[in-house]
Amino acid sequence: MSFFANLFKFGSQNMAIDLGTANTLVYVQDQGIILNEPSVVAIETINGIKRVKAVGDDAKMMMGKTPDTIEAIRPLRDGVIADIEIAEEMIKHFIRKVHGKRNLFRYPEIVICVPSGSTSVEKRAIRDAASNAGASEVHLILEPMAAAIGADMPVTEPVGSMVVDIGGGTTEVAVLSLRGLAYTTSVRTGGDKMDEAIVSYVRRHHNLLIGDATAERIKKDYGIAMVPEDGVGETITLKGRDLVNGVPKEITINQAHVAEALNEPIGAIVEGVRIALENTAPELAADIVDQGIVLTGGGALIRRLDEHLREETGLPVSIAEDPLTCVAIGTGRAMEDPIYRGVLMSA
């Protein structure tokens, strides 16, 4: 059997997958990141039979605009698999897209990153989804460790480092030293909660209902962690449905309103950082004073978030060079580089 297993693996490209709530990135050995698409699957139901209509970018465009027969689903919620069958289809689709149809019989080794707060059941669900999608071997790596490796932090040395990875579903706060997590906490607040906060703010203050895609666009283009210095900032035009008259309507808000809307989710992230600092051993805490805190993940791109954290903690805060791809690059390095091999886990 091992001969046939090796025959199938021959020529296969090992992959590292950052299976995110918002986006999935695939890193292929010796090639780098070659796929970065939204974690969305569109399912079409015809005569009671469900089939996958679109995955990734194509499915994301359908969100909030589908007829009754099509449903756009995000199979991951809060960083873990909520719908295993659809997640499996999504992983299969991405593996096929990376490998091409001619490599149908090649079974790669796959490394997938998981949130530090995942239960053993959630980890097994991820492993099973990847195995059923055609992986010969599945290894897992904790998200904060992958983010720290991707951000070039000294995770293999006896030095305390702190990373805050703000993803779509969760924010991972971890103190790392000697290839391990000295302390970690997973806050179930991320980009999705920020989108929800913007939707509910606009509904509460302006009686206007906007979609998640509009809220996400506002967060990306105008999101700010502190009220702008002039107290107003840039103005934003919004279109949605008036909840009083039930007709489409256009309103104008400004960045100060966005900062107010994001106050609660950002406050939860700051609280998570505070808790991690309170639980850090004194020697590691001394290192963090020198090394500072590194922000990774899409949430790190919120304007003035580093400044806000600096004010709240009194520590130096920096943003990783490419926060959006840090976790995928770190997962890939852990797969390729023998120095980091010790951080991988089997599910």
Side-chain angles (χ1 to χ4, degrees):
M1 279 302 289
S2 63
F3 167 75
F4 285 111
N6 288 333
L7 186 68
F8 280 134
K9 281 167 73 175
F10 177 73
S12 70
Q13 298 163 300
N14 293 340
M15 293 182 201
I17 300 178
D18 170 14
L19 199 60
T21 308
N23 296 294
T24 296
L25 285 82
V26 179
Y27 180 108
V28 173
Q29 193 166 351
D30 304 323
Q31 290 183 43
I33 295 169
I34 65 168
L35 185 137
N36 180 355
E37 291 198 22
S39 304
V40 183
V41 181
I43 301 288
E44 186 173 28
T45 309
I46 299 171
N47 299 329
I49 298 164
K50 292 187 176 184
R51 69 176 188 90
V52 176
K53 183 170 177 67
V55 180
D57 287 324
D58 297 337
K60 175 85 182 271
M61 287 164 71
M62 298 179 187
M63 284 195 86
K65 298 178 181 180
T66 55
D68 292 345
T69 53
I70 299 171
E71 190 184 3
I73 298 168
R74 295 176 65 180
L76 287 103
R77 281 274 161 218
D78 298 333
V80 292
I81 290 180
D83 191 320
I84 188 159
E85 286 177 14
I86 292 173
E88 214 172 281
E89 289 297 330
M90 186 175 78
I91 294 170
K92 272 183 193 166
H93 173 87
F94 290 144
I95 289 175
R96 276 200 296 267
K97 195 161 185 178
V98 167
H99 261 188
K101 289 185 179 171
R102 65 185 185 283
N103 291 334
L104 219 51
F105 295 108
R106 296 178 179 180
Y107 290 84
E109 187 181 327
I110 292 182
V111 180
I112 299 183
C113 71
V114 293
S116 57
S118 300
T119 63
S120 54
V121 174
E122 289 166 341
K123 286 176 185 170
R124 197 169 295 120
I126 289 173
R127 186 202 61 192
D128 291 348
S131 297
N132 295 341
S136 59
E137 257 181 276
V138 182
H139 298 287
L140 302 180
I141 181 171
L142 294 175
E143 215 168 284
M145 177 61 78
I149 293 170
D152 289 323
M153 293 167 76
V155 294
T156 57
E157 295 166 29
V159 176
S161 317
M162 188 174 203
V163 66
V164 179
D165 178 47
I166 308 165
T170 57
T171 294
E172 307 283 322
V173 184
V175 178
L176 308 105
S177 176
L178 288 168
R179 288 198 194 94
L181 301 178
Y183 179 82
T184 179
T185 180
S186 187
V187 184
R188 295 267 161 132
T189 300
D192 288 352
K193 284 280 191 293
M194 293 180 192
D195 295 347
E196 285 170 24
I198 292 169
V199 170
S200 74
Y201 179 89
V202 173
R203 186 172 59 219
R204 205 167 53 243
H205 290 82
H206 300 278
N207 283 325
L208 188 79
L209 188 63
I210 59 169
D212 291 340
T214 304
E216 188 183 12
R217 182 180 55 80
I218 295 165
K219 177 191 70 184
K220 283 181 176 174
D221 296 347
Y222 304 98
I224 192 163
M226 299 165 79
V227 175
E229 283 164 13
D230 64 356
V232 180
E234 295 177 55
T235 55
I236 309 143
T237 302
L238 288 182
K239 298 183 186 80
R241 194 177 83 229
D242 189 332
L243 288 169
V244 178
N245 303 319
V247 295
K249 181 180 153 188
E250 186 175 278
I251 62 159
T252 304
I253 61 169
N254 59 46
Q255 269 187 308
H257 297 139
V258 178
E260 194 183 328
L262 295 178
N263 191 31
E264 196 179 321
I266 286 172
I269 293 167
V270 171
E271 190 56 33
V273 172
R274 275 217 194 95
I275 291 166
L277 290 168
E278 281 169 17
N279 288 281
T280 303
E283 293 298 328
L284 292 171
D287 289 338
I288 293 168
V289 172
D290 298 331
Q291 301 277 332
I293 299 169
V294 177
L295 300 180
T296 67
L301 297 171
I302 296 282
R303 290 179 229 181
R304 298 185 70 188
L305 181 57
D306 52 339
E307 201 182 316
H308 183 54
L309 263 173
R310 208 174 295 131
E311 275 186 17
E312 294 289 332
T313 61
L315 295 167
V317 179
S318 60
I319 299 170
E321 198 174 312
D322 194 350
L324 284 168
T325 59
C326 259
V327 174
I329 289 169
T331 308
R333 278 190 197 159
M335 171 184 70
E336 288 177 341
D337 197 331
I339 295 171
Y340 300 122
R341 216 49 193 178
V343 304
L344 299 180
M345 314 173 293
S346 53

